[in-house]
């Protein structure tokens, strides 16, 4: 992954980056590694690009698991939006939703689980001046930002 620090944007030392995940890399792991390397404790992110394959999810509250939506063909990332927080384990916790577009104009969307980049995945990460935590809620079966 390549990245560029866009510099401080305010007096509270908020950092911003543009990051580009390399062709063939798995995007979820690359973003998580980047967040760990840069010690990002709280940020929002947006992205566009394309995947040769991806897995999305839809959370089923009855089973407390994600139902996987497997995409085994080339897709444009029309929109990706999410955040980075610190998880219960003290490591970066990425939460990202995506909308994928196909050659016929149809779309699929959901919780982003994984995606193989082809040819690029371009991300803008906006760090918050204050970090935040994501904690697992046993009653729901998922981790949510804890304010």
């Amino acid at each position: 992954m390549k990245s560029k620090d866009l510099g401080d944007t305010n007096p509270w030392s908020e950092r911003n980056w543009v990051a580009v995940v390399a062709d063939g890399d798995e995007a979820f792991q690359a973003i998580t590694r980047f967040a760990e390397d840069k010690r990002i404790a709280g940020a929002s992110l947006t992205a566009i690009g394309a995947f040769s394959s991806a897995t999305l999810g839809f959370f089923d509250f009855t089973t407390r698991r994600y139902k996987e939506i497997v995409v085994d063909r080339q897709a444009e990332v029309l929109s990706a939006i999410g955040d980075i927080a610190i998880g219960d384990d003290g490591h970066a916790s990425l939460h990202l939703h995506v909308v994928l577009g196909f050659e016929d104009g149809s779309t699929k969307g959901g919780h982003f689980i994984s995606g193989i980049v082809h040819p690029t995945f371009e991300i803008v990460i906006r760090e918050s001046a204050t970090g935040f935590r994501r904690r697992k809620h046993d009653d729901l079966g998922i981790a949510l930002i804890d304010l």
Side-chain angles (χ1 to χ4, degrees), residues 52-127:
S52 60
S53 63
T55 302
L56 311 179
F58 187 85
F59 193 75
D60 182 339
F61 285 98
T62 59
T63 63
R64 295 182 181 200
R65 300 181 74 185
Y66 281 98
K67 291 183 177 180
E68 288 191 352
I69 303 163
V70 176
V71 177
D72 58 3
R73 60 184 168 142
Q74 184 69 29
E76 294 280 336
V77 179
L78 303 177
S79 176
I81 187 167
D83 58 53
I84 300 166
I86 298 299
D88 287 334
D89 62 0
H91 293 285
S93 173
L94 174 63
H95 186 195
L96 188 63
H97 288 196
V98 300
V99 177
L100 302 179
F102 304 100
E103 64 184 14
D104 64 357
S106 65
T107 60
K108 286 190 181 204
H111 179 85
F112 183 60
I113 296 172
S114 67
I116 303 300
V117 173
H118 182 65
T120 191
F121 191 60
E122 303 163 349
I123 311 149
V124 176
I125 300 170
R126 294 173 191 88
E127 183 179 46

